[in-house]
């Protein structure tokens, strides 16, 4: 009877060990597609952010300041011709 128990216990241990090995292998192979998907999503998100950042710089052009400014009637202002430039009094 002892020998039969030992054989049964040995068979059960072998079955459990085989089941654990199979489950650990399937667990590792089951995670690989997840890692690939996360990597692809990360690359797409980073690419979209990079495009958004670099594309935004082309949107506007610098506007130069006006050469002459007039507010209302400027005929009563005194101008000095010595400097050669117009002055704006606010």
């Amino acid at each position: 009877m002892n020998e039969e128990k030992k054989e049964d216990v040995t068979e059960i241990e072998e079955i459990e060990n085989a089941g654990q090995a199979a489950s650990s292998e399937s667990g590792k192979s089951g995670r690989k597609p997840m890692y690939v998907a996360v990597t692809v999503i990360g690359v797409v998100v980073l690419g979209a952010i990079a495009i958004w950042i670099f594309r935004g710089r082309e949107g506007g052009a610098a506007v130069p300041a006006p050469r002459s400014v007039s507010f209302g009637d400027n005929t009563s202002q005194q101008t000095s011709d010595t400097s050669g430039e117009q002055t704006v009094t606010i």
Side-chain angles (χ1 to χ4, degrees):
M1 185 107 153
N2 258 346
E3 290 177 18
E4 289 178 15
K5 266 189 170 179
K6 286 183 184 178
E7 287 178 11
D8 289 341
V9 169
T10 306
E11 286 178 17
I12 292 172
E13 288 176 356
E14 288 176 3
I15 292 171
E16 287 176 355
N17 289 339
Q20 289 175 354
S23 68
S24 67
E25 288 176 7
S26 67
K28 289 181 182 177
S29 66
R31 289 184 180 179
K32 187 175 181 179
M34 180 184 68
Y35 292 140
V36 171
V38 168
T39 303
V40 169
I41 290 171
V43 168
V44 168
V45 168
L46 289 176
I49 290 172
I51 290 172
W52 179 66
I53 287 172
F54 291 121
R55 186 173 171 235
R57 293 183 181 174
E58 297 174 7
V63 177
R67 299 268 178 195
S68 62
V69 178
S70 61
F71 297 101
D73 187 20
N74 287 340
T75 57
S76 65
Q77 287 184 348
Q78 297 177 353
T79 59
S80 79
D81 292 331
T82 59
S83 66
E85 295 181 14
Q86 291 182 342
T87 57
V88 178
T89 305
I90 299 178

